Amino acid sequence: MSFLSAIFGSPKMNDILITDVTRMQGDRVCVAGVRGKDAVRLAEPAPTDSMLVSLGGLTPGDVVRVDARPVRRYRPPHTEDHSWLPSTVTKMDSLDGARIHDRLAATALPSIAKAFGKVKYFSTRGNPVFPPDRGNRSLATVAARDIRIYQLGDGIRADFADAAGEWRMLPVEGLAIRAHFARCGTCSRSGEISIPEALLRVGLTRPFKPDDQELGCFAQVNSVITPSAGIDLHQGAQQ
C-alpha cells in the first residue's frame, strides 16, 4: 500500500469529463473537469508533464475514473480543488465534439461576471483580475460569441463577447489550443482564428502580484468548444 493510499483509505471513485488541461510554471500542468454539475480540479498532488505521459496523456473530452475527493482546506475562489490518486486513473471514454458541447451547454453561464463576480481591476493589457480569498468558483463554462484567438509575442490571447459585455486580451493557456497553433502555424493570413459562437472554459489563476499591480486572480481561457467541432478549432473557425 502506498503512502497516499494509506491516507485515502477506501477508494472513492469518480467519473470525470476532462475539460481543462493548462500550462503552469515549469513542468506543472493544471487538470480539471466536471463530475455531473460539479467542477473538479486534480490539485493534490500537482500534475506534471511526466505524470500525464505516464497516464497515456489527458486531453479535454477524455472521461476518466479516478479516486478523487475534496481537499480539507482550500483558498477561495479555488473551491474545486481535490486530492487524487494517480494510480487509480482509468480512461473510460473520449467524447466527440458534439457530446462535449452538449454536456457543457447544460451548465454554461451567460458571462464571466456571472461566473466570478465583480472585477477587482483590469491589467494594463485589459485582462480582468478578480479578488483573492473570496468567491465560490474558479472554473466556469461561459457562452461566448465573436471570439478572436491570436498570437501575441510568445503567447496566445483571446478577445470575445458574452452577455455582460466584451473582454480583451485573456491569456490562452489550454494545451490543446496551444498545440493547435503549433500545428497550423499562424492558422490564417492574419495570424488569428475567428469563431462566431462557442463555449469557453474560463479559469482564474492562483493569486499573484505583478510588480506594478495588486494581488489578484487573473482570468484565462482554458478550452474552446464549438457546437460542431468540440475542441478542434480548425473546423469551427473562420479563417
Side-chain angles (χ1 to χ4, degrees), residues 20-218:
D20 308 69
V21 183
T22 62
R23 183 183 66 169
M24 298 182 71
Q25 291 184 340
D27 67 342
R28 293 176 59 203
V29 293
C30 180
V31 179
V34 293
R35 178 188 57 212
K37 295 182 179 180
D38 298 325
V40 173
R41 179 185 291 106
L42 304 181
E44 298 179 4
T48 62
D49 291 329
S50 59
M51 189 181 294
L52 294 194
V53 170
S54 71
L55 297 174
L58 290 177
T59 61
D62 287 343
V63 178
V64 300
R65 182 165 294 167
V66 57
D67 187 350
R69 58 198 70 195
V71 297
R72 293 182 178 180
R73 293 184 179 181
Y74 62 84
R75 182 177 182 180
H78 295 84
T79 60
E80 305 89 354
D81 286 357
H82 278 58
S83 299
W84 64 299
L85 276 176
S87 61
T88 65
V89 173
T90 302
K91 287 188 181 182
M92 307 299 294
D93 199 358
S94 183
L95 303 190
D96 59 25
R99 289 196 292 164
I100 300 170
H101 188 274
D102 289 349
R103 174 79 175 271
L104 295 180
T107 56
L109 297 172
S111 69
I112 287 183
K114 183 69 172 179
F116 304 127
K118 186 177 180 180
V119 174
K120 182 178 182 180
Y121 68 91
F122 288 88
S123 71
T124 54
R125 288 186 169 180
N127 186 3
V129 184
F130 293 83
D133 303 315
R134 68 182 68 177
N136 57 12
R137 66 166 63 89
S138 64
L139 293 167
T141 303
V142 175
R145 66 182 188 279
D146 302 330
I147 303 153
R148 175 176 169 252
I149 303 174
Y150 52 96
Q151 293 177 297
L152 184 68
D154 294 332
I156 301 172
R157 298 277 173 163
D159 299 344
F160 58 92
D162 62 21
E166 297 182 352
W167 305 91
R168 294 285 180 265
M169 301 288 288
L170 270 71
V172 177
E173 300 296 350
L175 295 185
I177 305 175
R178 300 182 70 85
H180 176 89
F181 268 80
R183 288 194 304 270
C184 69
T186 60
C187 299
S188 71
R189 292 181 180 179
S190 61
E192 66 181 53
I193 292 175
S194 296
I195 303 172
E197 292 182 333
L199 299 177
L200 303 183
R201 287 291 295 174
V202 182
L204 300 182
T205 67
R206 303 291 176 172
F208 75 95
K209 183 184 183 304
D211 292 340
D212 58 345
Q213 296 176 318
E214 299 178 33
L215 184 71
C217 300
F218 287 65

